[in-house]
Amino acid sequence: MNSKDIRKETLELNKLNKRLRRNVGNAIVDYNMIEENDVVMACISGGKDSFAMLDILLALQKSAPIKFEVIAVNLDQKQPGFPEHILPEYFDSLDIPYYIVDKDTYSVVKEKVAAGKTTCGLCSRLRRGTLYSFAERIGATKIALGHHLDDIVETLFLNMFHGARLKAMPPKLRSDDGRNVVIRPLTYCRESDLITYAEHKNFPIIPCNLCGSQENLQRQNIKAMLVEWDKKTPGRVESIFKSIQNVSPSQLADKNLFDFAHLPIDREQDRKEYAFEEAVVSSSNIDESLFIDVTNL
């Protein structure tokens, strides 16, 4: 690689760095994800997304106008072949507080899920329960997960196609019992940027295939669909994401969200002009003298 190419690559990486930090910073501000004196439990799985989230949070911690603590937590689910040394060594290299939490959810999943079936759903629920409990134990006020914009849009379509629900992943979520708050600092970040960032940072990635389960084929199909859309119409995935930030309940069909049953006509107020309201009646068998003259209303 010549010096010109090196300069170009350096420039692109600097742009990527700034873009990711700006996106994370904006998400934190928009949804008030992190507040003064928060203890943020950053959940690190060993994948590119959680590594990037931790890296960016630590960088923002140094420059943020508020004080907050970041504690890295990895849940060792006792999957066979899991390289237990990698994350402690990485956290030690960063000189940050961390916990490795042991919980054999692998055995539970293998016992409960039939061979060949996707284990991701049950595995996720077991993991969430353990992390919620541990957050209380260490006094964490926020639980940070590494889901990004693409994850959120994929989940939206998964729920529509396979669950008949208009539901995604919120940037910030309070648990049902009100005892924990989950945040997703990568909400505005694209997966393609995170892949490049992880390659540049050379994170010690641990693959998420150690459990031997099938891939979540439904999610993979959705991902492939969105990738194809992105190729044909750049910006479409971002537009879909923005749509869940700009919801009009009266234009949907949820009777619990909007009162469609009671929509009385009210013609007592001043009327706004309708666009293209003038019309000429060419034929009718109705006595037009019965009509109300709205021009004087």
Side-chain angles (χ1 to χ4, degrees):
M1 184 180 294
N2 58 43
S3 58
K4 183 177 180 181
D5 290 336
I6 293 174
R7 286 197 300 271
K8 181 179 179 181
E9 182 179 358
T10 301
L11 179 62
E12 290 302 315
L13 289 174
N14 286 338
K15 288 182 179 179
L16 174 62
N17 243 323
K18 291 178 181 178
R19 181 163 64 250
L20 286 174
R21 292 189 184 187
R22 180 176 65 250
N23 287 341
V24 172
N26 287 342
I28 290 173
V29 170
D30 287 351
Y31 295 95
N32 195 29
M33 291 185 183
I34 300 177
E35 301 168 84
E36 184 73 34
N37 296 320
D38 262 341
V39 177
V40 180
M41 188 175 92
C43 300
I44 311 303
S45 65
K48 68 181 188 313
D49 305 324
S50 60
F51 273 128
M53 178 187 71
L54 176 63
D55 191 72
I56 296 169
L57 283 178
L58 292 175
L60 291 176
Q61 184 185 35
K62 297 175 182 177
S63 58
I66 61 173
K67 179 183 178 182
F68 64 93
E69 186 178 353
V70 177
I71 300 175
V73 172
N74 167 253
L75 177 58
D76 184 348
Q77 298 175 266
K78 298 306 174 185
Q79 297 172 346
F82 186 82
E84 296 180 356
H85 64 286
I86 288 182
L87 289 174
E89 290 177 357
Y90 180 71
F91 296 148
D92 283 333
S93 73
L94 298 177
D95 192 25
I96 61 171
Y98 71 89
Y99 292 98
I100 305 297
V101 181
D102 294 335
K103 184 75 171 181
D104 187 3
T105 61
Y106 173 83
S107 297
V108 177
V109 169
K110 286 302 181 183
E111 178 185 344
K112 300 291 185 183
V113 180
K117 297 293 184 179
T118 300
T119 63
C120 301
L122 177 58
C123 182
S124 177
R125 290 193 296 275
L126 294 173
R127 185 169 61 245
R128 181 167 59 247
T130 303
L131 292 172
Y132 278 4
S133 176
F134 192 71
E136 291 190 45
R137 179 177 166 185
I138 65 174
T141 53
K142 301 290 170 58
I143 301 172
L145 303 180
H147 298 122
H148 46 68
L149 185 148
D150 296 74
D151 287 326
I152 294 172
V153 174
E154 288 166 16
T155 302
L156 173 70
F157 282 99
L158 273 172
N159 282 317
M160 283 197 294
F161 292 175
H162 302 288
R165 300 189 70 183
L166 196 60
K167 172 185 174 183
M169 292 176 173
K172 186 178 181 182
L173 171 73
R174 190 174 73 159
S175 61
D176 291 341
D177 61 8
R179 298 177 68 89
N180 286 287
V181 172
V182 172
I183 60 173
R184 296 182 168 97
L186 301 182
T187 286
Y188 292 163
C189 299
R190 292 301 308 268
E191 184 175 23
S192 55
D193 280 346
L194 295 169
I195 291 172
T196 304
Y197 191 72
E199 291 172 349
H200 168 58
K201 289 289 188 175
N202 198 28
F203 296 134
I205 306 296
I206 300 173
C208 186
N209 58 4
L210 297 172
C211 58
S213 69
Q214 294 179 333
E215 282 188 309
N216 187 328
L217 296 181
Q218 294 174 348
R219 183 174 285 275
Q220 292 304 314
N221 289 337
I222 296 293
K223 184 184 287 288
M225 178 188 77
L226 295 177
V227 167
E228 186 64 23
W229 283 359
D230 235 1
K231 288 179 181 177
K232 291 183 177 180
T233 312
R236 176 174 288 184
V237 175
E238 284 93 340
S239 292
I240 295 170
F241 174 78
K242 288 177 181 177
S243 74
I244 66 175
Q245 295 180 299
N246 189 26
V247 178
S248 300
S250 65
Q251 306 302 305
L252 297 174
D254 190 332
K255 301 189 299 294
N256 296 317
L257 200 61
F258 187 82
D259 187 7
F260 292 98
H262 303 94
L263 295 176
I265 291 177
D266 179 6
R267 290 178 173 163
E268 297 299 321
Q269 307 300 320
D270 291 340
R271 184 172 72 86
K272 295 181 179 179
E273 290 187 11
Y274 299 131
F276 309 106
E277 65 175 299
E278 293 183 7
V280 176
V281 176
S282 61
S283 129
S284 173
N285 64 352
I286 298 175
D287 184 354
E288 291 190 22
S289 66
L290 300 176
F291 287 2
I292 298 174
D293 185 0
V294 299
T295 57
N296 295 321
L297 295 181

